[in-house]
Every structure is written in structure tokens, then in C-alpha cells.
């Protein structure tokens, strides 16, 4: 399968999303002032991976998503073609996605969450863990059903309001 330049750029952004937390470890050694260092580390650990993954998925399109999906499945020893998940696999996938969503949103509502010693010392592992939860939930446990449902969420479809019944 020949891959377009747009898909290759998108896949590059997806890969960058996965490895950007590593850049957060390199930033302190670059000699920037404290404000810039803190901002860059925060971006590379907290917001950057999600931005890169989202941008990459838009650029890669369906072709790139299929290519990455096949590679991820191969990595976990799953068949590259579409497969149906059983009900327990699907439920585990939904739990992984909900847990990922909670871990991404919750810290924003807790003052000084990133200043807690346990979180501050393990932020890199927390970031990688949350990204892995999403990947596991969608690609590994969710099967083709999960990918189909997620694609239905972002696809626009015309919708008509139900007709009102007139009372006589």
C-alpha cells in the first residue's frame, strides 16, 4: 500500500505524540530560564502528546489510521484485520477509555495537583500510562466495534426532529 505525503506527516505527528514526554526529560539540560523550562516540560508531558495525536490523526486520515492501527495490533500480537470484541473485552475497553478521560480532566480541577510530591515525581509515568490506557481501550480491547463507534461520534449525519403529535 502506497502512503501519501499527508498521511506520512500525520503519522509523524502521531509518533511525536508518543515520544514527546521524553523531550520533557531533556528540557532541563538545555539551560533555559525557569519559566521557559517549566512551560516546555508541562507542554511535553501534559498537553503536547494529546495535541500531536489529534493533529496527526487529522492529517493521517483513514489511510494513516489504518496503517497505525495495523502496527499497534501487530505489536500486541492481534490480527491486523478487523475483529469483533466479546462483551467483556468491550467493557474493559470502555473502562480504559473512561479512566483515561478521568485522568486527563480531573487534575485540572484539583488545585496544586501537579505540585503533589507523588505526582510531580512520577509525571512522566502518569503521562505514558494515560496514553497507554487510551490505546489499549480503543485498539486492543475495543475491537472493530469501538473504532466504529468513535468514528460515528465525529461523523456528521443529517438529523430530523421527531414530528409532534397533535392532540384533538
Amino acid at each position: 500500500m502506497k502512503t501519501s505525503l499527508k498521511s506520512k506527516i500525520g503519522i509523524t505527528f502521531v509518533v511525536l505524540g508518543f515520544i514527546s514526554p521524553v523531550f520533557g526529560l531533556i528540557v532541563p539540560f538545555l539551560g533555559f530560564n525557569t519559566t521557559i523550562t517549566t512551560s516546555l516540560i508541562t507542554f511535553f508531558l501534559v498537553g503536547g502528546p494529546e495535541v500531536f495525536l489529534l493533529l496527526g490523526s487529522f492529517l493521517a486520515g483513514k489511510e494513516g489510521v489504518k496503517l497505525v492501527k495495523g502496527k499497534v495490533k501487530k505489536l500486541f500480537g492481534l490480527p491486523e484485520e478487523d475483529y469483533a470484541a466479546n462483551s467483556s473485552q468491550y467493557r474493559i475497553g470502555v473502562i480504559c477509555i473512561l479512566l483515561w478521560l478521568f485522568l486527563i480532566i480531573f487534575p485540572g480541577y484539583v488545585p496544586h495537583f501537579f505540585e503533589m510530591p507523588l505526582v510531580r515525581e512520577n509525571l512522566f509515568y502518569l503521562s505514558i500510562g494515560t496514553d497507554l490506557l487510551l490505546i489499549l481501550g480503543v485498539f486492543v480491547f475495543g475491537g472493530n466495534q469501538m473504532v466504529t463507534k468513535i468514528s460515528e461520534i465525529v461523523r456528521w449525519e443529517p438529523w430530523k426532529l421527531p414530528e409532534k403529535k397533535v392532540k384533538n
Side-chain angles (χ1 to χ4, degrees), residues 104-145:
I104 292 295
I105 294 173
F106 176 74
Y109 291 99
V110 178
H112 310 292
F113 177 78
F114 293 106
E115 295 173 10
M116 297 171 142
L118 180 67
V119 175
R120 186 177 51 227
E121 294 167 5
N122 298 304
L123 192 56
F124 176 71
Y125 300 112
L126 182 64
S127 180
I128 289 176
T130 54
D131 289 342
L132 283 176
L133 273 175
L134 180 64
I135 292 167
L136 288 172
V138 174
F139 295 113
V140 177
F141 293 115
N144 194 41
Q145 297 100 310

mmCIF file of all heavy atoms in Angstrom, residues 104-145:
data_model
loop_
_atom_site.group_PDB
_atom_site.id
_atom_site.type_symbol
_atom_site.label_atom_id
_atom_site.label_comp_id
_atom_site.label_asym_id
_atom_site.label_seq_id
_atom_site.Cartn_x
_atom_site.Cartn_y
_atom_site.Cartn_z
ATOM 1 N N ILE A 104 -7.296 12.578 32.540
ATOM 2 C CA ILE A 104 -6.931 13.759 31.755
ATOM 3 C C ILE A 104 -7.657 14.989 32.288
ATOM 4 O O ILE A 104 -7.083 16.072 32.386
ATOM 5 C CB ILE A 104 -7.266 13.544 30.256
ATOM 6 C CG1 ILE A 104 -6.373 12.477 29.650
ATOM 7 C CG2 ILE A 104 -7.143 14.834 29.467
ATOM 8 C CD1 ILE A 104 -4.913 12.827 29.609
ATOM 9 N N ILE A 105 -8.923 14.858 32.663
ATOM 10 C CA ILE A 105 -9.734 16.002 33.072
ATOM 11 C C ILE A 105 -9.585 16.321 34.558
ATOM 12 O O ILE A 105 -9.474 17.481 34.945
ATOM 13 C CB ILE A 105 -11.211 15.757 32.725
ATOM 14 C CG1 ILE A 105 -11.371 15.718 31.209
ATOM 15 C CG2 ILE A 105 -12.108 16.825 33.330
ATOM 16 C CD1 ILE A 105 -12.746 15.327 30.744
ATOM 17 N N PHE A 106 -9.572 15.324 35.418
ATOM 18 C CA PHE A 106 -9.586 15.505 36.865
ATOM 19 C C PHE A 106 -8.488 16.426 37.403
ATOM 20 O O PHE A 106 -8.778 17.316 38.209
ATOM 21 C CB PHE A 106 -9.523 14.137 37.561
ATOM 22 C CG PHE A 106 -9.429 14.205 39.051
ATOM 23 C CD1 PHE A 106 -10.519 14.557 39.818
ATOM 24 C CD2 PHE A 106 -8.228 13.932 39.696
ATOM 25 C CE1 PHE A 106 -10.436 14.618 41.188
ATOM 26 C CE2 PHE A 106 -8.117 13.998 41.067
ATOM 27 C CZ PHE A 106 -9.230 14.349 41.812
ATOM 28 N N PRO A 107 -7.237 16.276 36.982
ATOM 29 C CA PRO A 107 -6.175 17.122 37.559
ATOM 30 C C PRO A 107 -6.397 18.617 37.357
ATOM 31 O O PRO A 107 -5.962 19.428 38.168
ATOM 32 C CB PRO A 107 -4.906 16.670 36.836
ATOM 33 C CG PRO A 107 -5.192 15.285 36.427
ATOM 34 C CD PRO A 107 -6.665 15.253 36.106
ATOM 35 N N GLY A 108 -7.103 19.001 36.310
ATOM 36 C CA GLY A 108 -7.371 20.410 36.078
ATOM 37 C C GLY A 108 -8.287 21.038 37.114
ATOM 38 O O GLY A 108 -8.290 22.248 37.301
ATOM 39 N N TYR A 109 -9.063 20.227 37.802
ATOM 40 C CA TYR A 109 -9.998 20.733 38.800
ATOM 41 C C TYR A 109 -9.470 20.628 40.227
ATOM 42 O O TYR A 109 -10.144 21.020 41.161
ATOM 43 C CB TYR A 109 -11.338 19.988 38.695
ATOM 44 C CG TYR A 109 -12.076 20.331 37.432
ATOM 45 C CD1 TYR A 109 -12.030 19.489 36.327
ATOM 46 C CD2 TYR A 109 -12.796 21.511 37.329
ATOM 47 C CE1 TYR A 109 -12.691 19.815 35.156
ATOM 48 C CE2 TYR A 109 -13.461 21.842 36.164
ATOM 49 C CZ TYR A 109 -13.408 20.989 35.087
ATOM 50 O OH TYR A 109 -14.068 21.316 33.935
ATOM 51 N N VAL A 110 -8.296 20.067 40.385
ATOM 52 C CA VAL A 110 -7.707 19.936 41.713
ATOM 53 C C VAL A 110 -6.559 20.939 41.827
ATOM 54 O O VAL A 110 -5.557 20.815 41.123
ATOM 55 C CB VAL A 110 -7.177 18.499 41.945
ATOM 56 C CG1 VAL A 110 -6.523 18.388 43.298
ATOM 57 C CG2 VAL A 110 -8.292 17.487 41.798
ATOM 58 N N PRO A 111 -6.725 21.939 42.701
ATOM 59 C CA PRO A 111 -5.646 22.920 42.832
ATOM 60 C C PRO A 111 -4.332 22.266 43.273
ATOM 61 O O PRO A 111 -4.319 21.388 44.118
ATOM 62 C CB PRO A 111 -6.156 23.875 43.923
ATOM 63 C CG PRO A 111 -7.608 23.600 44.049
ATOM 64 C CD PRO A 111 -7.838 22.200 43.567
ATOM 65 N N HIS A 112 -3.264 22.678 42.664
ATOM 66 C CA HIS A 112 -1.912 22.233 43.022
ATOM 67 C C HIS A 112 -1.718 20.727 42.847
ATOM 68 O O HIS A 112 -0.879 20.134 43.518
ATOM 69 C CB HIS A 112 -1.547 22.652 44.446
ATOM 70 C CG HIS A 112 -1.805 24.091 44.719
ATOM 71 N ND1 HIS A 112 -1.076 25.087 44.113
ATOM 72 C CD2 HIS A 112 -2.728 24.710 45.493
ATOM 73 C CE1 HIS A 112 -1.528 26.260 44.521
ATOM 74 N NE2 HIS A 112 -2.535 26.069 45.351
ATOM 75 N N PHE A 113 -2.483 20.108 41.947
ATOM 76 C CA PHE A 113 -2.362 18.660 41.742
ATOM 77 C C PHE A 113 -0.959 18.281 41.295
ATOM 78 O O PHE A 113 -0.386 17.312 41.766
ATOM 79 C CB PHE A 113 -3.388 18.190 40.697
ATOM 80 C CG PHE A 113 -3.292 16.729 40.376
ATOM 81 C CD1 PHE A 113 -3.827 15.796 41.240
ATOM 82 C CD2 PHE A 113 -2.665 16.283 39.226
ATOM 83 C CE1 PHE A 113 -3.751 14.439 40.956
ATOM 84 C CE2 PHE A 113 -2.574 14.935 38.933
ATOM 85 C CZ PHE A 113 -3.121 14.018 39.807
ATOM 86 N N PHE A 114 -0.386 19.068 40.379
ATOM 87 C CA PHE A 114 0.929 18.736 39.840
ATOM 88 C C PHE A 114 2.060 19.090 40.792
ATOM 89 O O PHE A 114 3.212 18.799 40.522
ATOM 90 C CB PHE A 114 1.135 19.399 38.478
ATOM 91 C CG PHE A 114 0.226 18.846 37.425
ATOM 92 C CD1 PHE A 114 -0.853 19.576 36.962
ATOM 93 C CD2 PHE A 114 0.435 17.576 36.922
ATOM 94 C CE1 PHE A 114 -1.696 19.052 36.004
ATOM 95 C CE2 PHE A 114 -0.407 17.048 35.964
ATOM 96 C CZ PHE A 114 -1.477 17.789 35.502
ATOM 97 N N GLU A 115 1.734 19.730 41.896
ATOM 98 C CA GLU A 115 2.745 20.040 42.905
ATOM 99 C C GLU A 115 2.827 18.960 43.979
ATOM 100 O O GLU A 115 3.721 19.007 44.821
ATOM 101 C CB GLU A 115 2.439 21.398 43.539
ATOM 102 C CG GLU A 115 2.558 22.534 42.548
ATOM 103 C CD GLU A 115 2.097 23.858 43.119
ATOM 104 O OE1 GLU A 115 1.871 23.933 44.343
ATOM 105 O OE2 GLU A 115 1.940 24.807 42.342
ATOM 106 N N MET A 116 1.899 18.010 43.974
ATOM 107 C CA MET A 116 1.942 16.912 44.941
ATOM 108 C C MET A 116 3.207 16.094 44.681
ATOM 109 O O MET A 116 3.526 15.796 43.525
ATOM 110 C CB MET A 116 0.717 16.021 44.809
ATOM 111 C CG MET A 116 -0.582 16.695 45.096
ATOM 112 S SD MET A 116 -1.921 15.584 44.628
ATOM 113 C CE MET A 116 -3.070 15.902 45.903
ATOM 114 N N PRO A 117 3.933 15.729 45.726
ATOM 115 C CA PRO A 117 5.201 15.013 45.524
ATOM 116 C C PRO A 117 5.053 13.725 44.716
ATOM 117 O O PRO A 117 5.861 13.471 43.818
ATOM 118 C CB PRO A 117 5.677 14.712 46.946
ATOM 119 C CG PRO A 117 4.987 15.708 47.804
ATOM 120 C CD PRO A 117 3.687 16.030 47.134
ATOM 121 N N LEU A 118 4.035 12.940 44.991
ATOM 122 C CA LEU A 118 3.852 11.675 44.263
ATOM 123 C C LEU A 118 3.617 11.917 42.778
ATOM 124 O O LEU A 118 4.186 11.233 41.928
ATOM 125 C CB LEU A 118 2.690 10.878 44.870
ATOM 126 C CG LEU A 118 2.382 9.552 44.207
ATOM 127 C CD1 LEU A 118 3.536 8.575 44.432
ATOM 128 C CD2 LEU A 118 1.093 8.974 44.749
ATOM 129 N N VAL A 119 2.804 12.915 42.461
ATOM 130 C CA VAL A 119 2.509 13.231 41.059
ATOM 131 C C VAL A 119 3.716 13.859 40.386
ATOM 132 O O VAL A 119 4.083 13.488 39.272
ATOM 133 C CB VAL A 119 1.277 14.160 40.972
ATOM 134 C CG1 VAL A 119 1.038 14.606 39.542
ATOM 135 C CG2 VAL A 119 0.054 13.473 41.536
ATOM 136 N N ARG A 120 4.344 14.814 41.051
ATOM 137 C CA ARG A 120 5.494 15.519 40.472
ATOM 138 C C ARG A 120 6.631 14.556 40.158
ATOM 139 O O ARG A 120 7.270 14.650 39.115
ATOM 140 C CB ARG A 120 5.958 16.622 41.426
ATOM 141 C CG ARG A 120 7.047 17.488 40.846
ATOM 142 C CD ARG A 120 7.460 18.627 41.755
ATOM 143 N NE ARG A 120 7.766 18.137 43.095
ATOM 144 C CZ ARG A 120 7.319 18.693 44.210
ATOM 145 N NH1 ARG A 120 6.554 19.747 44.154
ATOM 146 N NH2 ARG A 120 7.646 18.197 45.383
ATOM 147 N N GLU A 121 6.880 13.593 41.042
ATOM 148 C CA GLU A 121 7.981 12.648 40.838
ATOM 149 C C GLU A 121 7.674 11.606 39.769
ATOM 150 O O GLU A 121 8.583 11.010 39.202
ATOM 151 C CB GLU A 121 8.306 11.946 42.155
ATOM 152 C CG GLU A 121 8.861 12.878 43.210
ATOM 153 C CD GLU A 121 8.892 12.245 44.595
ATOM 154 O OE1 GLU A 121 8.563 11.046 44.722
ATOM 155 O OE2 GLU A 121 9.232 12.969 45.549
ATOM 156 N N ASN A 122 6.391 11.367 39.495
ATOM 157 C CA ASN A 122 6.003 10.320 38.548
ATOM 158 C C ASN A 122 5.188 10.856 37.382
ATOM 159 O O ASN A 122 4.447 10.090 36.755
ATOM 160 C CB ASN A 122 5.207 9.237 39.280
ATOM 161 C CG ASN A 122 6.037 8.567 40.343
ATOM 162 O OD1 ASN A 122 7.101 8.039 40.055
ATOM 163 N ND2 ASN A 122 5.568 8.600 41.572
ATOM 164 N N LEU A 123 5.318 12.119 37.048
ATOM 165 C CA LEU A 123 4.518 12.718 35.989
ATOM 166 C C LEU A 123 4.779 12.075 34.630
ATOM 167 O O LEU A 123 3.851 11.854 33.848
ATOM 168 C CB LEU A 123 4.779 14.225 35.919
ATOM 169 C CG LEU A 123 3.819 15.038 35.068
ATOM 170 C CD1 LEU A 123 2.385 14.826 35.535
ATOM 171 C CD2 LEU A 123 4.175 16.500 35.121
ATOM 172 N N PHE A 124 6.003 11.736 34.368
ATOM 173 C CA PHE A 124 6.342 11.077 33.104
ATOM 174 C C PHE A 124 5.609 9.743 32.977
ATOM 175 O O PHE A 124 4.993 9.463 31.955
ATOM 176 C CB PHE A 124 7.864 10.869 33.039
ATOM 177 C CG PHE A 124 8.323 10.124 31.820
ATOM 178 C CD1 PHE A 124 8.279 10.728 30.579
ATOM 179 C CD2 PHE A 124 8.792 8.825 31.922
ATOM 180 C CE1 PHE A 124 8.709 10.051 29.454
ATOM 181 C CE2 PHE A 124 9.222 8.138 30.805
ATOM 182 C CZ PHE A 124 9.172 8.756 29.563
ATOM 183 N N TYR A 125 5.635 8.948 34.030
ATOM 184 C CA TYR A 125 4.971 7.645 34.002
ATOM 185 C C TYR A 125 3.452 7.792 33.966
ATOM 186 O O TYR A 125 2.757 7.007 33.322
ATOM 187 C CB TYR A 125 5.397 6.801 35.207
ATOM 188 C CG TYR A 125 6.876 6.551 35.246
ATOM 189 C CD1 TYR A 125 7.672 7.111 36.227
ATOM 190 C CD2 TYR A 125 7.490 5.784 34.254
ATOM 191 C CE1 TYR A 125 9.047 6.896 36.244
ATOM 192 C CE2 TYR A 125 8.855 5.564 34.255
ATOM 193 C CZ TYR A 125 9.625 6.123 35.252
ATOM 194 O OH TYR A 125 10.971 5.914 35.253
ATOM 195 N N LEU A 126 2.927 8.813 34.621
ATOM 196 C CA LEU A 126 1.497 9.084 34.595
ATOM 197 C C LEU A 126 1.052 9.451 33.186
ATOM 198 O O LEU A 126 0.019 8.982 32.700
ATOM 199 C CB LEU A 126 1.156 10.212 35.578
ATOM 200 C CG LEU A 126 -0.299 10.591 35.712
ATOM 201 C CD1 LEU A 126 -1.098 9.426 36.286
ATOM 202 C CD2 LEU A 126 -0.450 11.808 36.607
ATOM 203 N N SER A 127 1.847 10.267 32.507
ATOM 204 C CA SER A 127 1.531 10.669 31.141
ATOM 205 C C SER A 127 1.560 9.473 30.187
ATOM 206 O O SER A 127 0.644 9.287 29.387
ATOM 207 C CB SER A 127 2.522 11.730 30.673
ATOM 208 O OG SER A 127 2.246 12.138 29.369
ATOM 209 N N ILE A 128 2.576 8.661 30.283
ATOM 210 C CA ILE A 128 2.666 7.469 29.430
ATOM 211 C C ILE A 128 1.535 6.497 29.754
ATOM 212 O O ILE A 128 0.911 5.921 28.861
ATOM 213 C CB ILE A 128 4.038 6.792 29.586
ATOM 214 C CG1 ILE A 128 5.114 7.657 28.946
ATOM 215 C CG2 ILE A 128 4.043 5.396 28.971
ATOM 216 C CD1 ILE A 128 6.513 7.148 29.125
ATOM 217 N N GLY A 129 1.246 6.330 31.040
ATOM 218 C CA GLY A 129 0.175 5.421 31.450
ATOM 219 C C GLY A 129 -1.189 5.829 30.926
ATOM 220 O O GLY A 129 -1.965 4.987 30.465
ATOM 221 N N THR A 130 -1.483 7.130 30.961
ATOM 222 C CA THR A 130 -2.782 7.578 30.458
ATOM 223 C C THR A 130 -2.886 7.390 28.947
ATOM 224 O O THR A 130 -3.935 6.990 28.443
ATOM 225 C CB THR A 130 -3.047 9.049 30.834
ATOM 226 O OG1 THR A 130 -1.968 9.851 30.386
ATOM 227 C CG2 THR A 130 -3.252 9.220 32.315
ATOM 228 N N ASP A 131 -1.804 7.660 28.228
ATOM 229 C CA ASP A 131 -1.830 7.431 26.780
ATOM 230 C C ASP A 131 -2.001 5.947 26.461
ATOM 231 O O ASP A 131 -2.730 5.584 25.538
ATOM 232 C CB ASP A 131 -0.554 7.970 26.128
ATOM 233 C CG ASP A 131 -0.498 9.490 26.115
ATOM 234 O OD1 ASP A 131 -1.562 10.118 26.284
ATOM 235 O OD2 ASP A 131 0.596 10.046 25.951
ATOM 236 N N LEU A 132 -1.338 5.095 27.213
ATOM 237 C CA LEU A 132 -1.497 3.648 27.004
ATOM 238 C C LEU A 132 -2.920 3.181 27.299
ATOM 239 O O LEU A 132 -3.427 2.284 26.620
ATOM 240 C CB LEU A 132 -0.504 2.863 27.861
ATOM 241 C CG LEU A 132 0.929 2.827 27.346
ATOM 242 C CD1 LEU A 132 1.836 2.107 28.343
ATOM 243 C CD2 LEU A 132 1.004 2.154 25.986
ATOM 244 N N LEU A 133 -3.568 3.783 28.291
ATOM 245 C CA LEU A 133 -4.963 3.424 28.585
ATOM 246 C C LEU A 133 -5.856 3.667 27.376
ATOM 247 O O LEU A 133 -6.707 2.845 27.043
ATOM 248 C CB LEU A 133 -5.484 4.235 29.777
ATOM 249 C CG LEU A 133 -5.241 3.681 31.153
ATOM 250 C CD1 LEU A 133 -5.715 4.675 32.209
ATOM 251 C CD2 LEU A 133 -5.940 2.357 31.345
ATOM 252 N N LEU A 134 -5.664 4.814 26.727
ATOM 253 C CA LEU A 134 -6.471 5.116 25.554
ATOM 254 C C LEU A 134 -6.193 4.124 24.422
ATOM 255 O O LEU A 134 -7.122 3.608 23.799
ATOM 256 C CB LEU A 134 -6.210 6.543 25.075
ATOM 257 C CG LEU A 134 -7.007 6.976 23.850
ATOM 258 C CD1 LEU A 134 -8.489 6.988 24.146
ATOM 259 C CD2 LEU A 134 -6.548 8.332 23.371
ATOM 260 N N ILE A 135 -4.944 3.838 24.169
ATOM 261 C CA ILE A 135 -4.589 2.909 23.094
ATOM 262 C C ILE A 135 -5.146 1.521 23.384
ATOM 263 O O ILE A 135 -5.725 0.859 22.511
ATOM 264 C CB ILE A 135 -3.060 2.858 22.909
ATOM 265 C CG1 ILE A 135 -2.567 4.192 22.366
ATOM 266 C CG2 ILE A 135 -2.649 1.719 21.991
ATOM 267 C CD1 ILE A 135 -1.077 4.368 22.424
ATOM 268 N N LEU A 136 -4.972 1.063 24.611
ATOM 269 C CA LEU A 136 -5.497 -0.251 24.981
ATOM 270 C C LEU A 136 -7.010 -0.293 24.858
ATOM 271 O O LEU A 136 -7.577 -1.256 24.342
ATOM 272 C CB LEU A 136 -5.078 -0.611 26.416
ATOM 273 C CG LEU A 136 -3.618 -0.957 26.635
ATOM 274 C CD1 LEU A 136 -3.321 -1.086 28.125
ATOM 275 C CD2 LEU A 136 -3.251 -2.242 25.906
ATOM 276 N N GLY A 137 -7.682 0.759 25.331
ATOM 277 C CA GLY A 137 -9.136 0.788 25.302
ATOM 278 C C GLY A 137 -9.703 0.767 23.896
ATOM 279 O O GLY A 137 -10.668 0.068 23.614
ATOM 280 N N VAL A 138 -9.094 1.540 22.994
ATOM 281 C CA VAL A 138 -9.633 1.642 21.636
ATOM 282 C C VAL A 138 -9.179 0.492 20.754
ATOM 283 O O VAL A 138 -9.995 -0.188 20.130
ATOM 284 C CB VAL A 138 -9.242 2.994 20.996
ATOM 285 C CG1 VAL A 138 -9.662 3.048 19.541
ATOM 286 C CG2 VAL A 138 -9.861 4.143 21.764
ATOM 287 N N PHE A 139 -7.885 0.252 20.680
ATOM 288 C CA PHE A 139 -7.374 -0.692 19.694
ATOM 289 C C PHE A 139 -7.297 -2.131 20.177
ATOM 290 O O PHE A 139 -7.537 -3.058 19.414
ATOM 291 C CB PHE A 139 -5.978 -0.256 19.218
ATOM 292 C CG PHE A 139 -5.988 1.037 18.475
ATOM 293 C CD1 PHE A 139 -5.392 2.160 19.004
ATOM 294 C CD2 PHE A 139 -6.601 1.136 17.242
ATOM 295 C CE1 PHE A 139 -5.389 3.357 18.321
ATOM 296 C CE2 PHE A 139 -6.612 2.321 16.546
ATOM 297 C CZ PHE A 139 -6.008 3.444 17.092
ATOM 298 N N VAL A 140 -6.939 -2.346 21.429
ATOM 299 C CA VAL A 140 -6.711 -3.710 21.896
ATOM 300 C C VAL A 140 -7.995 -4.347 22.399
ATOM 301 O O VAL A 140 -8.395 -5.409 21.944
ATOM 302 C CB VAL A 140 -5.608 -3.742 22.986
ATOM 303 C CG1 VAL A 140 -5.431 -5.145 23.520
ATOM 304 C CG2 VAL A 140 -4.302 -3.215 22.425
ATOM 305 N N PHE A 141 -8.659 -3.694 23.343
ATOM 306 C CA PHE A 141 -9.842 -4.307 23.937
ATOM 307 C C PHE A 141 -11.120 -4.021 23.156
ATOM 308 O O PHE A 141 -12.017 -4.856 23.104
ATOM 309 C CB PHE A 141 -10.020 -3.840 25.386
ATOM 310 C CG PHE A 141 -8.948 -4.332 26.303
ATOM 311 C CD1 PHE A 141 -8.084 -3.441 26.906
ATOM 312 C CD2 PHE A 141 -8.791 -5.682 26.555
ATOM 313 C CE1 PHE A 141 -7.087 -3.881 27.755
ATOM 314 C CE2 PHE A 141 -7.797 -6.136 27.387
ATOM 315 C CZ PHE A 141 -6.945 -5.235 27.995
ATOM 316 N N GLY A 142 -11.229 -2.830 22.564
ATOM 317 C CA GLY A 142 -12.484 -2.420 21.937
ATOM 318 C C GLY A 142 -12.803 -3.089 20.625
ATOM 319 O O GLY A 142 -13.965 -3.202 20.254
ATOM 320 N N GLY A 143 -11.799 -3.544 19.919
ATOM 321 C CA GLY A 143 -12.042 -4.194 18.639
ATOM 322 C C GLY A 143 -12.623 -3.244 17.612
ATOM 323 O O GLY A 143 -12.566 -2.027 17.750
ATOM 324 N N ASN A 144 -13.192 -3.809 16.568
ATOM 325 C CA ASN A 144 -13.750 -3.009 15.488
ATOM 326 C C ASN A 144 -14.967 -2.216 15.954
ATOM 327 O O ASN A 144 -15.227 -1.132 15.451
ATOM 328 C CB ASN A 144 -14.109 -3.912 14.307
ATOM 329 C CG ASN A 144 -14.373 -3.117 13.055
ATOM 330 O OD1 ASN A 144 -13.663 -2.162 12.765
ATOM 331 N ND2 ASN A 144 -15.407 -3.474 12.335
ATOM 332 N N GLN A 145 -15.703 -2.745 16.941
ATOM 333 C CA GLN A 145 -16.881 -2.025 17.420
ATOM 334 C C GLN A 145 -16.500 -0.659 17.983
ATOM 335 O O GLN A 145 -17.169 0.334 17.739
ATOM 336 C CB GLN A 145 -17.616 -2.805 18.531
ATOM 337 C CG GLN A 145 -18.180 -4.129 18.102
ATOM 338 C CD GLN A 145 -17.279 -5.272 18.518
ATOM 339 O OE1 GLN A 145 -16.079 -5.241 18.275
ATOM 340 N NE2 GLN A 145 -17.846 -6.291 19.122
#
